[in-house]
Amino acid sequence: MKIGKINLGEKPLLLAPMEDVTDPSFRLICKEQGADMVYTEFVSCDALIRNINSTTRKLHIQDAERPAAIQIYGKDVDTMVEAARIAEAANPDILDINFGCPVKKVASKGAGAGMLRDIPKMLEITAAVVKAVNIPVTVKTRLGWDCENKIIVTLAEQLQDCGIQALSIHGRTRSQMYTGEADWTLIEAVKRNPRMTIPIIGNGDVTTPERARECFERYGVDGVMVGRASIGAPWVFREMREFIDTGSVTPIPSSEKMALLRRQINESISRIDEIRGILHIRRHLAATPLFKGIPNFREKRIAMLQAKTFAELDEILTDIETNILPTI
């Protein structure tokens, strides 16, 4: 699969952009574990043109994590164009436009998935951003605003006509948020549309190696994007890649998985500070499948998620690793 001149190989796996998740450390780990392309956290165009430090920091990309995309979102043409040029100056490989974020604070203001209620403006913004930058522009969106307005097949054609070079589709409407099941049949309909010539990337409920392979084989997509399944489990890309390529998965020892979580903790603390770094990583510790299914783990889990210092958290994890986790 190619996006512009960027070759991602056959059946690529992409790390979805996720706020408070896809920081530089996590992106690099996922890349090392087999992700073929990674995305930054959402970058607010309004905050970017105001030069807000917390936003401009999101533009930093390490060479080791490339190819990498910066994803921007906003609600008006001029702001999006200005922000796109600022983002381009940070030297990403790709610029992605977020027309899919369903959260109220974004969508209710007309940005993200909120743009699905104003298609003419969405297309105007897309065409203007494509014209404003010299790197490939892609879009990530949803099936439509609600179940009565699943417009993605027509919308995909319109976005392609604006000049984007790939389209990522989450198989839910905005009104679904993250509930119910992702509908990959409509993603397939976009891919099978003879008018479509750009790569189509499917997203939604890809949680296992078996499902990742099925999405390629059953729906014919060019790429598969993995989001929530990677939180606390960056090794999922390694498992998916192996299963797609060989049809089997070599078990990853618990010690290796724990080492990756510990690395995230250390790098989170180094990047931010001890207190906020630990707070940031709790989402991964809460979500990781590494601790799921362990009998009588509730008390230890609570202690782990309430730890306030590195020393305290390290002691708890050492106890888990030494006395609780299985070797495989």
Side-chain angles (χ1 to χ4, degrees), residues 140-143 168-172 177-178 187 203-204 228:
K140 186 171 190 287
T141 190
R142 290 185 166 230
L143 304 180
S168 300
I169 305 169
H170 184 109
R172 290 181 172 87
M177 301 292 286
Y178 295 101
I187 300 175
N203 176 226
R228 288 174 292 168

Side-chain angles (χ1 to χ4, degrees), residues 310-321:
F310 173 75
E312 184 182 357
L313 181 56
D314 182 63
E315 182 179 357
I316 294 168
L317 292 177
T318 298
D319 179 50
I320 293 172
E321 189 170 16

Side-chain angles (χ1 to χ4, degrees), residues 13 29-35 209 233-246 248-253 256-257 260:
L13 297 167
I29 292 173
C30 289
K31 176 69 174 179
E32 293 170 353
Q33 290 295 306
W235 54 82
V236 73
F237 289 101
R238 178 172 159 188
E239 296 173 332
M240 289 179 176
R241 180 80 276 151
E242 184 178 4
F243 192 80
I244 289 168
D245 292 344
T246 70
S248 63
V249 176
T250 304
I252 302 173
E256 287 190 35
K257 295 177 180 179
L260 289 174

Side-chain angles (χ1 to χ4, degrees), residues 16 24 29 32 41 69 96 100 111 142 164 180 200 221 286 291 314-315 326:
I29 292 173
E32 293 170 353
E41 300 172 77
D96 189 69
R142 290 185 166 230
I164 65 169
I200 301 301
V221 292
F291 306 136
D314 182 63
E315 182 179 357

Side-chain angles (χ1 to χ4, degrees), residues 5 18 21 27 71 76 87 94 120 126 131 137 151 162 170 173 215 235 237 276 320:
K5 296 180 180 179
M18 293 177 283
V21 175
R27 297 196 305 263
Q71 189 188 71
D76 65 80
I94 288 166
T126 303
K131 185 178 179 180
V137 174
I151 59 172
C162 290
H170 184 109
T173 63
C215 287
W235 54 82
F237 289 101
R276 291 182 300 160
I320 293 172

Side-chain angles (χ1 to χ4, degrees), residues 196-326:
M196 298 302 298
T197 59
I198 61 174
I200 301 301
I201 301 158
N203 176 226
D205 297 344
V206 183
T207 59
T208 66
E210 293 79 7
R211 180 57 174 166
R213 184 174 181 175
E214 180 187 26
C215 287
F216 281 113
E217 294 180 349
R218 182 174 177 181
Y219 303 107
V221 292
D222 300 287
V224 166
M225 183 175 282
V226 181
R228 288 174 292 168
S230 69
I231 302 175
W235 54 82
V236 73
F237 289 101
R238 178 172 159 188
E239 296 173 332
M240 289 179 176
R241 180 80 276 151
E242 184 178 4
F243 192 80
I244 289 168
D245 292 344
T246 70
S248 63
V249 176
T250 304
I252 302 173
S254 297
S255 59
E256 287 190 35
K257 295 177 180 179
M258 179 66 87
L260 289 174
L261 291 179
R262 284 184 174 277
R263 177 179 165 188
Q264 283 187 253
I265 294 166
N266 291 332
E267 293 180 359
S268 180
I269 290 172
S270 297
R271 185 174 60 89
I272 312 173
D273 57 45
E274 185 174 23
I275 295 175
R276 291 182 300 160
I278 290 173
L279 288 173
H280 174 73
I281 211 65
R282 281 179 182 171
R283 185 170 187 175
H284 294 270
L285 294 175
T288 183
L290 182 58
F291 306 136
K292 285 184 168 63
I294 298 177
N296 305 312
F297 192 73
R298 183 174 182 273
E299 184 176 335
K300 190 66 67 175
R301 175 186 173 86
I302 292 172
M304 178 179 65
L305 297 179
Q306 290 180 345
K308 293 181 174 61
T309 66
F310 173 75
E312 184 182 357
L313 181 56
D314 182 63
E315 182 179 357
I316 294 168
L317 292 177
T318 298
D319 179 50
I320 293 172
E321 189 170 16
T322 304
N323 300 312
I324 299 176
L325 274 185

